Amino acid sequence: MAYQRVAIVGAGITKFVRRAQETGKELAAQASKMALESCGMTMKDIECVSLGTAPDAFDGVHMKGEYLSDGSGGWRKPYMRQFVGGGTGVFAPVHGWYHVASGMFDTCLVVCSEKMSSCHPHPQGAFKTIFDHTTEQPLNPTLIWIFALEMNRFMSTYGITKEEIALVSVKNKKNAMDHPAAQLPMEITVEDVMNSETLAWPVNRLDISPASDGAAAIVLASEHVAKRITDKPVWIDGVGWNLDSAYWATRDLYYPRYVEKAARMAYKMAGITEPQREIEIAEPYDPFDYKELHHMEGLLLADRGKAVEMLLDGKTQRDGDRPMCPSGGALGVGNPIAATGLMKIIEIFLQLRGEAGKRQVPGNPKCGLAQAWGDLMQVGTVVVMRI
């Protein structure tokens, strides 16, 4: 099937913070304005809008897509909302890609906005109802509870220690010190992670990304429009997504097969046959430190059980052979659920254009990947980008 080529030509991102003074609409409007101004466009140049945002309960507003439509520039334009939990921030640009690649539109504004601090008493409360009401809710589970099970399974399968996994948090929080939007940039040690509060063994507080408010936006354009707007388009060459069963307890959690299936879909579209060699830089989703390693393997960027060796060898550092999360990731920049994945898309966009400032990786990478993950450990979303 023939598609129009689609490029990212502009991007904007707000500061990720706890308890932002702005409403979700205002955060969306700020990011949209920044993205449009970055490429010299206005809303008059935008033909459609793709919005990503997480559960309505976060904002306490039912029909949240409609609620955020004015701030996202969606009024009186073709407008579509997407939501697949934490996978949303990479799924919304996939939708935007289809709008343009299909030939239906030449431009699309993709906006992802999240205001988690509106949820009382805590955003975790919004997740209480996502479990099966008969077999799981009576056990009163939380997301941290089930992620602790997955982390333990990953560690025990390959003999990985908590100290080794803590190195991901140390790396990403340090990388975030150079990100202007970062919420929790800091220089910490493995001991700091190990000595932080135990929430549900083996998960400690510094193993986890923070709840955040924030928004991000990108501008997509067809090839003939992109070449008129910029000399440095970043092409979306592959997209992939996959959904596994919501009955997570029936799966072996040591390996995210749905991430592999999403990655293989994106790689096939992009013509990538050797991801470990061809993907030069990546932003795997890291709401927990073990997830960066878990997802590297699902993305086929490391052999099963070997991602930790790349970490210990320094290959995933910003100046390493295969930089992972040079932005600082969700662990350091923050995790306003839907906006986090789009932040990762923006990081690869800036890195491939050589515009990441202090975060710029060496070697002039030409091909990168952003990935997100969500719902009940069941959604994988992947975008491959090239210059």
Side-chain angles (χ1 to χ4, degrees), residues 108-285:
C108 179
L109 177 65
V110 179
V111 186
C112 288
S113 177
E114 211 72 82
K115 189 169 173 64
M116 300 178 72
S117 62
S118 303
C119 190
H120 294 287
H122 190 277
Q124 282 293 333
F127 298 122
K128 296 290 285 184
T129 58
I130 65 176
F131 299 96
D132 184 279
H133 55 73
T134 301
T135 61
E136 295 172 343
Q137 287 190 26
L139 298 173
N140 200 26
T142 68
L143 283 184
I144 293 175
W145 190 73
I146 65 172
F147 295 148
L149 291 174
E150 185 179 68
M151 180 174 174
N152 188 31
R153 177 62 178 150
F154 181 60
M155 290 168 55
S156 60
T157 299
Y158 297 118
I160 302 169
T161 67
K162 257 188 67 63
E163 287 82 356
E164 290 170 334
I165 287 176
L167 286 168
V168 174
S169 190
V170 172
K171 170 179 71 72
N172 290 4
K173 288 183 182 297
K174 184 177 182 180
N175 283 349
M177 294 175 73
D178 296 322
H179 200 302
Q183 177 180 349
L184 275 184
M186 60 178 75
E187 193 151 4
I188 59 173
T189 65
V190 168
E191 288 71 29
D192 291 329
V193 179
M194 299 295 293
N195 291 331
S196 62
E197 179 185 2
T198 300
L199 301 179
W201 194 91
V203 176
N204 288 51
R205 183 169 294 281
L206 287 178
D207 289 312
I208 307 180
S209 58
S212 313
D213 297 345
I218 58 173
V219 179
L220 303 182
S222 62
E223 184 169 11
H224 71 94
V225 173
K227 289 183 175 178
R228 191 176 70 227
I229 293 171
T230 179
D231 293 329
K232 297 197 291 185
V234 174
W235 303 103
I236 294 178
D237 277 356
V239 300
W241 68 96
N242 199 268
L243 180 72
D244 208 330
S245 166
Y247 290 91
W248 54 275
T250 64
R251 289 185 268 124
D252 192 330
L253 302 177
Y254 85 99
Y255 184 73
R257 294 183 187 279
Y258 47 94
V259 173
E260 178 184 336
K261 289 180 178 295
R264 287 190 182 280
M265 177 180 172
Y267 294 156
K268 182 179 180 180
M269 188 180 296
I272 288 175
T273 57
E274 299 179 68
Q276 292 186 27
R277 182 181 64 82
E278 296 176 74
I279 300 294
E280 299 166 89
I281 178 174
E283 281 276 340
Y285 199 56

Side-chain angles (χ1 to χ4, degrees), residues 25-91:
K25 296 182 181 195
E26 290 168 330
L27 291 170
Q30 286 181 15
S32 300
K33 185 172 185 289
M34 293 166 70
L36 291 166
E37 289 180 350
S38 74
C39 55
M41 297 174 72
T42 71
M43 280 307 300
K44 292 181 179 178
D45 302 308
I46 298 299
E47 297 178 0
C48 66
V49 175
S50 171
L51 173 78
T53 192
D56 292 0
F58 279 172
D59 285 69
V61 178
H62 192 47
M63 299 194 300
K64 190 173 163 188
E66 291 84 337
Y67 171 69
L68 294 174
S69 60
D70 50 353
S72 306
W75 276 10
R76 302 185 180 90
K77 291 182 185 293
Y79 173 80
M80 185 179 292
R81 175 198 178 184
Q82 299 81 41
F83 168 49
V84 284
T88 304
V90 173
F91 201 46

